[in-house]
Amino acid sequence: MTPILLAIACLLAVTLGYGGLCAASPFGACRTCHGWGFEMKTDRKGRLKRGKDCRRCHATGKRIRVGRWLYNRWARIYRAGTDTPRPEGFR
């Protein structure tokens, strides 16, 4: 197998794998709070303590994946562009 075919096969496998992941699980852990929903702080004794709510995920711990966001955007634009109005008198 030539290196170019191997690279194409690897890229195709990664793309299809990520597409499947986005279809099966459209939400992933927030990259800022690592899925906790809040920031961890330490008090003066060094003990961990809950901090402020995460502003990025609004304290849910979940964010929509980039691939799913792109698919949702594409589908919204496609539906808006192919929407045909109903003719007069048609219910």
Side-chain angles (χ1 to χ4, degrees), residues 6 11 15 24-26 30 34 37 39 58 63-64 72 82-83 85 89 91:
L6 184 62
L11 255 142
T15 303
S25 175
C30 177
H34 306 290
E39 166 186 25
H58 303 287
R63 293 283 290 174
I64 194 159
N72 289 347
T82 58
D83 189 25
R91 287 190 175 206

PDB file of all heavy atoms in Angstrom, residues 6 11 15 24-26 30 34 37 39 58 63-64 72 82-83 85 89 91:
ATOM      1  N   LEU A   6      -2.476   5.045   2.183  1.00  0.00           N
ATOM      2  CA  LEU A   6      -2.550   4.835   3.622  1.00  0.00           C
ATOM      3  C   LEU A   6      -3.008   6.113   4.325  1.00  0.00           C
ATOM      4  O   LEU A   6      -3.847   6.065   5.239  1.00  0.00           O
ATOM      5  CB  LEU A   6      -1.186   4.395   4.159  1.00  0.00           C
ATOM      6  CG  LEU A   6      -1.130   4.054   5.634  1.00  0.00           C
ATOM      7  CD1 LEU A   6      -2.033   2.875   5.927  1.00  0.00           C
ATOM      8  CD2 LEU A   6       0.295   3.761   6.047  1.00  0.00           C
ATOM      9  N   LEU A  11      -7.242   9.167   7.096  1.00  0.00           N
ATOM     10  CA  LEU A  11      -8.076  10.363   7.163  1.00  0.00           C
ATOM     11  C   LEU A  11      -9.550  10.010   7.060  1.00  0.00           C
ATOM     12  O   LEU A  11     -10.383  10.576   7.781  1.00  0.00           O
ATOM     13  CB  LEU A  11      -7.695  11.325   6.036  1.00  0.00           C
ATOM     14  CG  LEU A  11      -6.906  12.517   6.532  1.00  0.00           C
ATOM     15  CD1 LEU A  11      -5.834  12.872   5.547  1.00  0.00           C
ATOM     16  CD2 LEU A  11      -7.849  13.658   6.732  1.00  0.00           C
ATOM     17  N   THR A  15     -12.287  10.705  10.003  1.00  0.00           N
ATOM     18  CA  THR A  15     -13.453  11.524   9.686  1.00  0.00           C
ATOM     19  C   THR A  15     -14.753  10.776   9.955  1.00  0.00           C
ATOM     20  O   THR A  15     -15.673  11.316  10.583  1.00  0.00           O
ATOM     21  CB  THR A  15     -13.408  11.976   8.213  1.00  0.00           C
ATOM     22  OG1 THR A  15     -12.191  12.688   8.001  1.00  0.00           O
ATOM     23  CG2 THR A  15     -14.581  12.852   7.873  1.00  0.00           C
ATOM     24  N   ALA A  24     -23.722   9.947  17.547  1.00  0.00           N
ATOM     25  CA  ALA A  24     -24.127   9.149  18.705  1.00  0.00           C
ATOM     26  C   ALA A  24     -24.160   9.974  19.989  1.00  0.00           C
ATOM     27  O   ALA A  24     -25.029   9.790  20.830  1.00  0.00           O
ATOM     28  CB  ALA A  24     -23.171   7.970  18.873  1.00  0.00           C
ATOM     29  N   SER A  25     -23.195  10.870  20.134  1.00  0.00           N
ATOM     30  CA  SER A  25     -23.103  11.666  21.358  1.00  0.00           C
ATOM     31  C   SER A  25     -22.781  13.112  20.975  1.00  0.00           C
ATOM     32  O   SER A  25     -21.613  13.493  20.917  1.00  0.00           O
ATOM     33  CB  SER A  25     -22.003  11.099  22.258  1.00  0.00           C
ATOM     34  OG  SER A  25     -21.825  11.918  23.380  1.00  0.00           O
ATOM     35  N   PRO A  26     -23.811  13.927  20.697  1.00  0.00           N
ATOM     36  CA  PRO A  26     -23.553  15.280  20.205  1.00  0.00           C
ATOM     37  C   PRO A  26     -22.955  16.217  21.246  1.00  0.00           C
ATOM     38  O   PRO A  26     -22.396  17.245  20.894  1.00  0.00           O
ATOM     39  CB  PRO A  26     -24.927  15.779  19.767  1.00  0.00           C
ATOM     40  CG  PRO A  26     -25.901  14.926  20.467  1.00  0.00           C
ATOM     41  CD  PRO A  26     -25.234  13.626  20.728  1.00  0.00           C
ATOM     42  N   CYS A  30     -17.219  19.913  28.761  1.00  0.00           N
ATOM     43  CA  CYS A  30     -16.725  21.278  28.564  1.00  0.00           C
ATOM     44  C   CYS A  30     -15.210  21.286  28.733  1.00  0.00           C
ATOM     45  O   CYS A  30     -14.668  20.676  29.661  1.00  0.00           O
ATOM     46  CB  CYS A  30     -17.392  22.205  29.585  1.00  0.00           C
ATOM     47  SG  CYS A  30     -16.811  23.904  29.498  1.00  0.00           S
ATOM     48  N   HIS A  34     -13.818  20.930  32.411  1.00  0.00           N
ATOM     49  CA  HIS A  34     -13.604  19.489  32.301  1.00  0.00           C
ATOM     50  C   HIS A  34     -14.840  18.687  32.694  1.00  0.00           C
ATOM     51  O   HIS A  34     -14.735  17.597  33.252  1.00  0.00           O
ATOM     52  CB  HIS A  34     -12.403  19.048  33.128  1.00  0.00           C
ATOM     53  CG  HIS A  34     -11.166  19.812  32.810  1.00  0.00           C
ATOM     54  ND1 HIS A  34     -10.494  19.668  31.617  1.00  0.00           N
ATOM     55  CD2 HIS A  34     -10.499  20.766  33.505  1.00  0.00           C
ATOM     56  CE1 HIS A  34      -9.456  20.480  31.599  1.00  0.00           C
ATOM     57  NE2 HIS A  34      -9.437  21.169  32.732  1.00  0.00           N
ATOM     58  N   GLY A  37     -18.727  21.634  35.580  1.00  0.00           N
ATOM     59  CA  GLY A  37     -19.735  22.684  35.633  1.00  0.00           C
ATOM     60  C   GLY A  37     -19.319  23.858  36.494  1.00  0.00           C
ATOM     61  O   GLY A  37     -20.021  24.861  36.558  1.00  0.00           O
ATOM     62  N   GLU A  39     -15.593  25.780  38.561  1.00  0.00           N
ATOM     63  CA  GLU A  39     -14.157  25.856  38.736  1.00  0.00           C
ATOM     64  C   GLU A  39     -13.811  25.411  40.155  1.00  0.00           C
ATOM     65  O   GLU A  39     -14.557  25.668  41.090  1.00  0.00           O
ATOM     66  CB  GLU A  39     -13.752  27.312  38.497  1.00  0.00           C
ATOM     67  CG  GLU A  39     -12.395  27.694  38.933  1.00  0.00           C
ATOM     68  CD  GLU A  39     -12.151  29.174  38.779  1.00  0.00           C
ATOM     69  OE1 GLU A  39     -13.113  29.954  38.789  1.00  0.00           O
ATOM     70  OE2 GLU A  39     -10.998  29.542  38.665  1.00  0.00           O
ATOM     71  N   HIS A  58     -22.391  27.228  31.137  1.00  0.00           N
ATOM     72  CA  HIS A  58     -23.491  27.656  31.997  1.00  0.00           C
ATOM     73  C   HIS A  58     -23.794  26.613  33.078  1.00  0.00           C
ATOM     74  O   HIS A  58     -24.949  26.286  33.344  1.00  0.00           O
ATOM     75  CB  HIS A  58     -24.752  27.958  31.185  1.00  0.00           C
ATOM     76  CG  HIS A  58     -24.517  28.987  30.126  1.00  0.00           C
ATOM     77  ND1 HIS A  58     -24.340  30.323  30.409  1.00  0.00           N
ATOM     78  CD2 HIS A  58     -24.404  28.871  28.784  1.00  0.00           C
ATOM     79  CE1 HIS A  58     -24.136  30.982  29.291  1.00  0.00           C
ATOM     80  NE2 HIS A  58     -24.171  30.122  28.273  1.00  0.00           N
ATOM     81  N   ARG A  63     -20.854  20.680  26.456  1.00  0.00           N
ATOM     82  CA  ARG A  63     -20.808  21.590  25.324  1.00  0.00           C
ATOM     83  C   ARG A  63     -21.088  20.800  24.060  1.00  0.00           C
ATOM     84  O   ARG A  63     -20.757  19.622  23.976  1.00  0.00           O
ATOM     85  CB  ARG A  63     -19.422  22.233  25.202  1.00  0.00           C
ATOM     86  CG  ARG A  63     -19.062  23.160  26.323  1.00  0.00           C
ATOM     87  CD  ARG A  63     -19.726  24.463  26.204  1.00  0.00           C
ATOM     88  NE  ARG A  63     -19.147  25.173  25.068  1.00  0.00           N
ATOM     89  CZ  ARG A  63     -19.577  26.309  24.613  1.00  0.00           C
ATOM     90  NH1 ARG A  63     -20.597  26.883  25.183  1.00  0.00           N
ATOM     91  NH2 ARG A  63     -19.021  26.895  23.601  1.00  0.00           N
ATOM     92  N   ILE A  64     -21.672  21.436  23.060  1.00  0.00           N
ATOM     93  CA  ILE A  64     -21.933  20.756  21.801  1.00  0.00           C
ATOM     94  C   ILE A  64     -20.604  20.588  21.060  1.00  0.00           C
ATOM     95  O   ILE A  64     -19.751  21.472  21.083  1.00  0.00           O
ATOM     96  CB  ILE A  64     -22.977  21.519  20.959  1.00  0.00           C
ATOM     97  CG1 ILE A  64     -23.476  20.654  19.838  1.00  0.00           C
ATOM     98  CG2 ILE A  64     -22.437  22.820  20.455  1.00  0.00           C
ATOM     99  CD1 ILE A  64     -24.807  21.085  19.297  1.00  0.00           C
ATOM    100  N   ASN A  72     -25.408  21.057  12.441  1.00  0.00           N
ATOM    101  CA  ASN A  72     -26.627  21.805  12.740  1.00  0.00           C
ATOM    102  C   ASN A  72     -26.704  23.083  11.920  1.00  0.00           C
ATOM    103  O   ASN A  72     -27.764  23.455  11.410  1.00  0.00           O
ATOM    104  CB  ASN A  72     -26.708  22.143  14.225  1.00  0.00           C
ATOM    105  CG  ASN A  72     -26.983  20.935  15.077  1.00  0.00           C
ATOM    106  OD1 ASN A  72     -27.343  19.879  14.581  1.00  0.00           O
ATOM    107  ND2 ASN A  72     -26.794  21.082  16.368  1.00  0.00           N
ATOM    108  N   THR A  82     -34.114  25.702   0.963  1.00  0.00           N
ATOM    109  CA  THR A  82     -34.943  24.839   0.126  1.00  0.00           C
ATOM    110  C   THR A  82     -36.409  24.886   0.530  1.00  0.00           C
ATOM    111  O   THR A  82     -37.201  24.100   0.035  1.00  0.00           O
ATOM    112  CB  THR A  82     -34.456  23.381   0.208  1.00  0.00           C
ATOM    113  OG1 THR A  82     -34.499  22.964   1.566  1.00  0.00           O
ATOM    114  CG2 THR A  82     -33.067  23.252  -0.355  1.00  0.00           C
ATOM    115  N   ASP A  83     -36.766  25.759   1.416  1.00  0.00           N
ATOM    116  CA  ASP A  83     -38.154  25.875   1.870  1.00  0.00           C
ATOM    117  C   ASP A  83     -38.965  26.518   0.751  1.00  0.00           C
ATOM    118  O   ASP A  83     -38.697  27.642   0.332  1.00  0.00           O
ATOM    119  CB  ASP A  83     -38.232  26.700   3.144  1.00  0.00           C
ATOM    120  CG  ASP A  83     -39.616  26.664   3.752  1.00  0.00           C
ATOM    121  OD1 ASP A  83     -40.334  25.681   3.503  1.00  0.00           O
ATOM    122  OD2 ASP A  83     -39.958  27.609   4.470  1.00  0.00           O
ATOM    123  N   PRO A  85     -42.524  28.026  -0.540  1.00  0.00           N
ATOM    124  CA  PRO A  85     -43.810  28.515   0.000  1.00  0.00           C
ATOM    125  C   PRO A  85     -44.979  27.772  -0.615  1.00  0.00           C
ATOM    126  O   PRO A  85     -44.921  27.289  -1.739  1.00  0.00           O
ATOM    127  CB  PRO A  85     -43.806  29.994  -0.398  1.00  0.00           C
ATOM    128  CG  PRO A  85     -42.869  30.098  -1.537  1.00  0.00           C
ATOM    129  CD  PRO A  85     -41.853  28.991  -1.368  1.00  0.00           C
ATOM    130  N   GLY A  89     -54.345  29.310  -1.630  1.00  0.00           N
ATOM    131  CA  GLY A  89     -55.505  28.448  -1.546  1.00  0.00           C
ATOM    132  C   GLY A  89     -55.190  27.012  -1.146  1.00  0.00           C
ATOM    133  O   GLY A  89     -56.084  26.183  -1.065  1.00  0.00           O
ATOM    134  N   ARG A  91     -54.072  24.248   1.606  1.00  0.00           N
ATOM    135  CA  ARG A  91     -53.987  24.085   3.072  1.00  0.00           C
ATOM    136  C   ARG A  91     -53.164  22.924   3.426  1.00  0.00           C
ATOM    137  O   ARG A  91     -53.034  21.934   2.982  1.00  0.00           O
ATOM    138  CB  ARG A  91     -55.366  23.948   3.668  1.00  0.00           C
ATOM    139  CG  ARG A  91     -56.066  25.258   3.653  1.00  0.00           C
ATOM    140  CD  ARG A  91     -57.305  25.153   4.458  1.00  0.00           C
ATOM    141  NE  ARG A  91     -57.894  26.460   4.510  1.00  0.00           N
ATOM    142  CZ  ARG A  91     -58.669  26.858   5.466  1.00  0.00           C
ATOM    143  NH1 ARG A  91     -58.970  26.073   6.433  1.00  0.00           N
ATOM    144  NH2 ARG A  91     -59.170  28.044   5.459  1.00  0.00           N
TER     145      ARG A  91
END
